[in-house]
Amino acid sequence: MAAPTSQQPSVTEREARQVAEAAREQGWRKPSFAKELFLGRFRLDLIHPHPQPAGEDVRRGEEFLAKLRDFCETRIDSARIEREARIPDEVINGLKELGALGMKIDIKYGGLGLTQVYYNRALALVGSANPAIGALLSAHQSIGVPQPLKIFGTQEQKDTFLPRCARTDITAFLLTEPDVGSDPARLATTAVPDGDSYVLDGVKLWTTNGVVADLLVVMARVPKTEGRKGGITAFVVEADSEGITVENRNAFMGLRGLENGVTRFHRVRVPAANRIGPEGAGLKIALTTLNTGRLSLPAMCVGAGKWCLKIAREWSAAREQWGKPVAFHEAVGQKISFIAATTFALEAVVDLSSQMADENRNDIRIEAALAKLYGSEMGCLMADELVQIRGGRGFETAESLAARGERAVPAEQLLRDLRINRIFEGSTEIMHLLIAREAVDAHLSVAGDLIDPEKSLSDKAKAGAKAGGFYARWLPKLVAGPGQLPTSYGEFHPDGHVDLSGHLRYVERSARKLARSTFYAMSRWQGKMETKQGFLGRIVDIGAELFAMSAACVRAEHLRATGEHGREAYQLADVFCSQSRVRVDELFGRLWHNTDELDRKVTKGVLGGSYTWLEEGVVDPSGDGAWIADATPGPSKRENVHRPIR
């Protein structure tokens, strides 16, 4: 069979959006706290009282965490990983023996069968020891072979692959290509049917775990032919198959131990039995997998926040300036307060979302996306504040600190390691758009045809009648609510504790204001709404803050009710909500008072060459080469750097 000669698919913006729309889960079969929040309905009953794990799940989870903590303290040398830019084979093999590859895999397949809650706590723990190890385990289980097979695989596929994934085989997820990131409609890797197999050709970029993987989940485009739907399809592929070449091990500013590479497929034959789901279902499988898979990143940000708090506390008490510890200077104390309060709230968001995922009573696609967005942004801010608190020592490497006799605190490394989380598994900008699309789903379902230029007048008339009925019922409910009653949410003001009920009333009022703002924007911009990315980003950021405030209050009350640091939890929730309210008020103001239009004009000028004179007076140290590497299908001309762990 001749290798395909087709290049990057050429698609319009509308076609790209249609592909993305077809991949998203369409219905809402279960309630969603975050979806209701964006609609102006504060459904506290969906998250309070805080859901609880089963006793056996707790026992099994705590037992594993104890073993993992001992492993992290005795077997992981983070400084060595940073120095050698590689996780030692013996560490990975030790994790295999511990069962860490199978944390989320069912016991019947040889896994540990941990809940999402304990899986995330394990990632927070191991990620604090070294973030690259956390990334390896997360990529393997959250988006690699185990999760898509768990949801979409056949019984034969589960029986064949899951035992391997649980104990011995590292897996990777391959979607991104040199010229394809968050726009999968342009996916160029092909899977051509040939008898009882498919033949894969193409190049995949940023294949986390790809350098050491034994099994791959590969997204490839099956050509559409008569009687065959085709489309982007998911396959399980043996990493040592003939025709697969790992052409490069990529290096980054952080996560130096990450085994991330470039993988080329040339006439790679994959059995049809290894196809996950039907043809054309690949993107839906990927997005569904990420619904809970995204929780792994904010979980590791929680671990980072806890470490930042520990170092900030110890250092700020020891370091004195002008006659007192730096912690008691207000400028530093504010940073410490921010780290403590944000860590508490972020852990509340992750634990709440994870427990809801375990119970499977709610649809958490928005909650998980908000957790990823909020955690990745706040994690970077906390690390940055720690570097600032440490001053020059924060900018100095741990190795340099140790060399001159000081404690080797890798604060600058953490900042570098966390930075990728704002890009991994959906950049902040893409997460804004993804969440915004889900947030306005109710509006598009009733009024979408009104703003669709391709719909007929009769379709628009029907949509108008449907929308009229919906908004006649919905809009009046946005005028008043429990947030205006001073006695609402009184259970969040127990005797001897600070008052959190006022924060929840604020959330309820703000949710209605958020919904009114969204409706006004849709009425104003209609079909152009999707281009207002600055506005949509602020809408989502407000929703993220309101979700975090809600989770923080619910967690504080849960800890009080169970007698676990209740008074302190209430204090942390109070200060977090107070800080969050300042951010929310600012975001509401920036919905309508911003520089979005001016920014667009300047951007056009920059791209049009109007400001090239501003670039004069510097030299560009960049090397030569194409902006985007050539990914033409064909045999590899490079050495295979695939390095399976033995």
Side-chain angles (χ1 to χ4, degrees), residues 23 69 84 193 253 370 450 466 482 547 567:
R69 173 175 289 279
E84 298 179 357
M253 67 181 283
L370 287 173
L450 283 172
K466 184 179 180 181
F547 177 39
R567 194 180 307 278

Side-chain angles (χ1 to χ4, degrees), residues 18-78:
Q18 288 174 338
V19 169
E21 181 66 19
R24 63 176 290 273
E25 193 172 350
Q26 303 294 324
W28 293 87
R29 294 181 295 275
K30 300 174 184 176
S32 165
F33 173 80
K35 174 176 176 284
E36 294 294 303
L37 197 67
F38 280 108
L39 284 171
R41 300 190 284 248
F42 182 44
R43 291 286 308 279
L44 186 61
D45 61 295
L46 292 178
I47 61 172
H48 173 66
H50 196 292
Q52 289 298 293
E56 175 58 22
D57 292 335
V58 172
R59 185 199 63 76
R60 191 163 59 246
E62 292 294 339
E63 184 178 278
F64 176 71
L65 286 182
K67 295 177 182 177
L68 183 62
R69 173 175 289 279
D70 179 70
F71 183 90
C72 290
E73 292 175 343
T74 61
R75 303 278 296 278
I76 295 177
D77 183 347
S78 187

Side-chain angles (χ1 to χ4, degrees), residues 449-465:
D449 287 355
L450 283 172
I451 59 177
D452 189 337
E454 295 190 2
K455 294 298 181 181
S456 66
L457 289 176
S458 61
D459 288 337
K460 290 179 180 293
K462 293 177 183 177

Side-chain angles (χ1 to χ4, degrees), residues 227-285:
R228 185 182 291 274
K229 178 182 178 181
I232 298 173
T233 306
F235 300 89
V236 178
V237 182
E238 299 281 355
D240 61 356
S241 299
E242 184 178 354
I244 296 181
T245 305
V246 179
E247 296 187 329
N248 195 63
R249 182 184 187 270
N250 303 323
F252 304 99
M253 67 181 283
L255 294 184
R256 288 174 54 79
L258 195 69
E259 298 290 352
N260 179 295
V262 177
T263 303
R264 178 177 292 271
F265 296 84
H266 177 58
R267 301 180 183 176
V268 178
R269 188 168 292 275
V270 180
N274 285 20
R275 187 188 71 214
I276 308 175
E279 290 182 1
L283 284 184
K284 185 178 288 292
I285 290 171

Side-chain angles (χ1 to χ4, degrees), residues 23 53 78 84 104 132 261 328 376 417 437 463 567-568 578 637:
S78 187
E84 298 179 357
K104 284 191 70 180
F328 296 117
S376 59
D417 287 342
R437 171 61 188 86
R567 194 180 307 278
E568 295 81 6
S578 298
K637 300 176 183 178

